[in-house]
Amino acid sequence: MTMDMLAAKWRINLSNPWHLLATGFGSGMFPWMPGTVGSLAAIPFWCLLVLLPWQLYSLAVMFSLCLGVYFCHQTARDMGVHDHGCIVWDEFVGMWITLMALPVNDWQWVLAGFLLFRLLDIWKPWPIRWFDRKVHGGMGIIIDDVVAGIIAAGVLYWVGHHWPLF
């Protein structure tokens, strides 16, 4: 990590509610693989979301996406870095979208969803890479993970309904 990126990380104030949310309740402050840690930290919250009817789950995810655009933008502005690794709210939203498509809520499908989402988020194949490069601001921070989540959800749905593994 460069000195500029390290200095930007020190501009995070977890008592600021926008910073707290943007860093996934502090999970993005982990020194190694913050995106992976943030994706893991999203799972306990997903466990609560799945208790809701799917309509409310969907509404909660859309609300989290919309509000996340704002507070991720504000946090990036406060840090002076567009998409610093410690901003992981996008991983939360992407994981929640991915896990919406599980054919069965059990740990094997959650693990498959986690691994698939992380693969897509790290590799960034087209169209994920296009969104990552072309969209800026708070929406630019979140949209590539939303697209990765949609693709991962589609793959999980297809595999779970047409080629069951578990």
Side-chain angles (χ1 to χ4, degrees):
M1 183 179 290
T2 67
M3 291 305 286
D4 290 340
M5 295 299 272
L6 192 57
K9 191 172 180 179
W10 287 107
R11 294 185 195 110
I12 290 290
N13 177 3
L14 293 179
S15 65
N16 177 327
W18 300 140
H19 293 190
L20 182 66
L21 289 169
T23 62
F25 303 97
S27 63
M29 301 301 283
F30 200 76
W32 303 283
M33 302 184 308
T36 300
V37 173
S39 297
L40 283 171
I43 294 172
F45 294 96
W46 169 80
C47 290
L48 296 174
L49 284 170
V50 295
L51 299 175
L52 300 171
W54 72 268
Q55 299 93 335
L56 287 178
Y57 181 128
S58 298
L59 191 61
V61 171
M62 286 187 278
F63 181 73
S64 296
L65 188 164
C66 293
L67 194 57
V69 167
Y70 175 76
F71 62 71
C72 287
H73 176 76
Q74 294 300 316
T75 302
R77 190 192 68 196
D78 293 347
M79 295 179 77
V81 176
H82 165 62
D83 191 1
H84 193 282
C86 72
I87 297 176
V88 297
W89 188 257
D90 49 334
E91 274 81 9
F92 272 59
V93 173
M95 278 295 297
W96 295 339
I97 292 170
T98 298
L99 298 177
M100 288 175 95
L102 298 184
V104 179
N105 290 340
D106 68 21
W107 71 269
Q108 290 118 333
W109 283 106
V110 173
L111 178 61
F114 168 78
L115 293 173
L116 184 56
F117 173 73
R118 289 308 300 149
L119 174 71
L120 291 169
D121 189 33
I122 293 166
W123 177 33
K124 296 194 187 313
W126 185 91
I128 301 164
R129 180 173 290 137
W130 185 90
F131 283 99
D132 186 53
R133 291 181 178 169
K134 300 293 184 182
V135 183
H136 305 287
M139 181 60 80
I141 293 171
I142 291 186
I143 194 66
D144 63 307
D145 293 85
V146 168
V147 175
I150 291 168
I151 293 170
V155 170
L156 288 173
Y157 182 86
W158 186 84
V159 169
H161 289 86
H162 301 289
W163 192 30
L165 299 175
F166 308 118

